[in-house]
Structure formats: C-alpha cells, structure tokens
Amino acid sequence: MPSEPDLTAIAAALRQVGRSLGALADALTGAAGEPTQDERYRAAILEWGDRALTGPECIALLRRHGFAPQAVGGWVKGGWMETGADGLRRMTARSRELVSGT
C-alpha cells in the first residue's frame, strides 16, 4: 500500500523550482532580480504610449509587465488609465507625466 505524500517536501521542492526558473530567466535577459513595481509601472506606460487599446490588448500588455488582469480596474480608479466612450483604454496625462518625470 503506497504511503501518503510528504506535502512539506513537495512544497519545498516546488519553491526550489521557482527560484531556479527565476535564475534562468535572469540569465537569459541579463537582469539581476525582478524589476521594482515602479519600474514595471513605467515600462508598461512606456510600451502603451499614446495608443488606444481594447480590453484584451490592455490585459495582455499589463501581463507582460507582471500585473494581474484585475489591475486594470485599479489603474482606472487610480487615474492612470481611462476608458473612452468608444470602449478603448488610454493612458491619462497623469501616467505620461510619471514617465516623463514632470
């Protein structure tokens, strides 16, 4: 009869896999560690630019920068993004000021 799995050992092994994948990603990109949240905000805003994006395009862009799809609502409520009458999402002047340093 098989014994019960050691969940603590499995969890520890999964954590090691995660750290290893992070190290591999850093080696591939030449990066040292994860970007800060502020760096991720700036990178997302810079990639977005002045374009108007659909909901799925917006989510895909934010995901590339490590944000969950639910972040869209927070960006709108925080005044970083707005949804136009056409349903497309755009960065606000506040967002553009953040990346321009003014």
Side-chain angles (χ1 to χ4, degrees):
M1 178 176 212
S3 63
E4 293 293 316
D6 182 349
L7 297 180
T8 303
I10 293 170
L14 288 173
R15 286 186 193 94
Q16 289 176 344
V17 169
R19 285 191 295 272
S20 296
L21 290 175
L24 177 60
D26 290 347
L28 291 172
T29 63
E34 294 293 319
T36 66
Q37 187 167 350
D38 188 52
E39 290 169 335
R40 290 178 21 234
Y41 282 130
R42 289 174 184 275
I45 293 167
L46 285 170
E47 182 181 340
W48 192 304
D50 292 329
R51 297 178 294 152
L53 302 179
T54 65
E57 290 171 330
C58 171
I59 290 169
L61 186 145
L62 292 179
R63 276 191 171 174
R64 284 194 297 275
H65 294 281
F67 295 100
Q70 297 83 358
V72 172
W75 282 51
V76 171
K77 288 179 185 174
W80 299 104
M81 174 194 315
E82 60 192 2
T83 303
D86 57 3
L88 298 176
R89 292 160 176 88
R90 295 166 180 83
M91 285 289 130
T92 62
R94 179 180 182 199
S95 296
R96 290 187 294 278
E97 288 170 5
L98 175 73
V99 297
S100 71
T102 60

